[in-house]
Amino acid sequence: MIDVPRDDLVMMLEAGYIYLAMGKFSEAKQIFEGIITLAPKHEVPQVALANVLFAQKKYLQAIRILKEALELNPQSAFAHAHLGEALLFYGKRDQALQSLNRASQIEPTGKAGDFARSLSQLVSMGYDPVRLREEARKQK
């Protein structure tokens, strides 16, 4: 394994997220896969790769990657929150809420926990992305 300074890995992650925000999924995926090779024992690049798949609506693939990330770090609120999101969009509401609740427990304050709580609150208010997609399809 190549020893890469943490700052360099962070910069590469940022570059990948810039590509993701630009909709350049192939480039983002390549960067995140490269970081996974450089830092195979860290869950953050796995979650980043799952975010690319999620953005492409490849929810099941994202779920698989997120579960791998949680094998690396079962206490990652970041991975639990994103797993909850992917499960929700895949139509697994109950499992999604379990992951979101777990993220909230792990991180009672902080960005991942806040994200999980916000998404849980939306679900409790009736937010259902699967139903919304189906309704949008019917209107076309």
Side-chain angles (χ1 to χ4, degrees):
M1 181 169 76
I2 300 170
D3 189 27
V4 179
R6 183 182 188 285
D7 289 346
D8 292 348
L9 291 173
V10 170
M11 186 171 29
M12 286 186 272
L13 277 167
E14 289 174 0
Y17 274 111
I18 289 169
Y19 277 125
L20 178 57
M22 294 170 57
K24 296 187 176 223
F25 302 129
S26 178
E27 291 86 348
K29 186 176 184 233
Q30 287 177 351
I31 287 175
F32 294 140
E33 287 173 338
I35 298 169
I36 289 168
T37 301
L38 295 171
K41 295 181 180 181
H42 206 291
E43 84 280 5
V44 171
Q46 296 264 0
V47 175
L49 177 59
N51 286 334
V52 174
L53 297 166
F54 180 87
Q56 295 175 301
K57 297 179 177 64
K58 297 177 181 178
Y59 305 122
L60 186 57
Q61 290 177 37
I63 290 166
R64 288 182 183 139
I65 298 289
L66 290 161
K67 287 182 177 181
E68 290 175 15
L70 286 166
E71 287 177 17
L72 294 172
N73 182 0
Q75 294 302 310
S76 173
F78 183 57
H80 279 288
H82 284 278
L83 177 59
E85 179 186 38
L87 286 164
L88 181 62
F89 277 75
Y90 189 62
K92 302 290 184 180
R93 181 183 180 276
D94 293 339
Q95 291 176 31
L97 288 172
Q98 288 175 0
S99 288
L100 295 171
N101 289 335
R102 184 68 186 125
S104 292
Q105 291 169 354
I106 294 169
E107 192 176 281
T109 60
K111 291 180 183 179
D114 289 346
F115 171 65
R117 283 183 289 282
S118 294
L119 196 48
S120 291
Q121 186 177 13
L122 283 173
V123 171
S124 71
M125 295 167 57
Y127 178 69
D128 182 350
V130 173
R131 182 180 45 80
L132 291 172
R133 279 195 310 268
E134 289 172 2
E135 289 174 2
R137 240 179 282 171
K138 289 177 184 177
Q139 292 179 1
K140 287 185 179 181

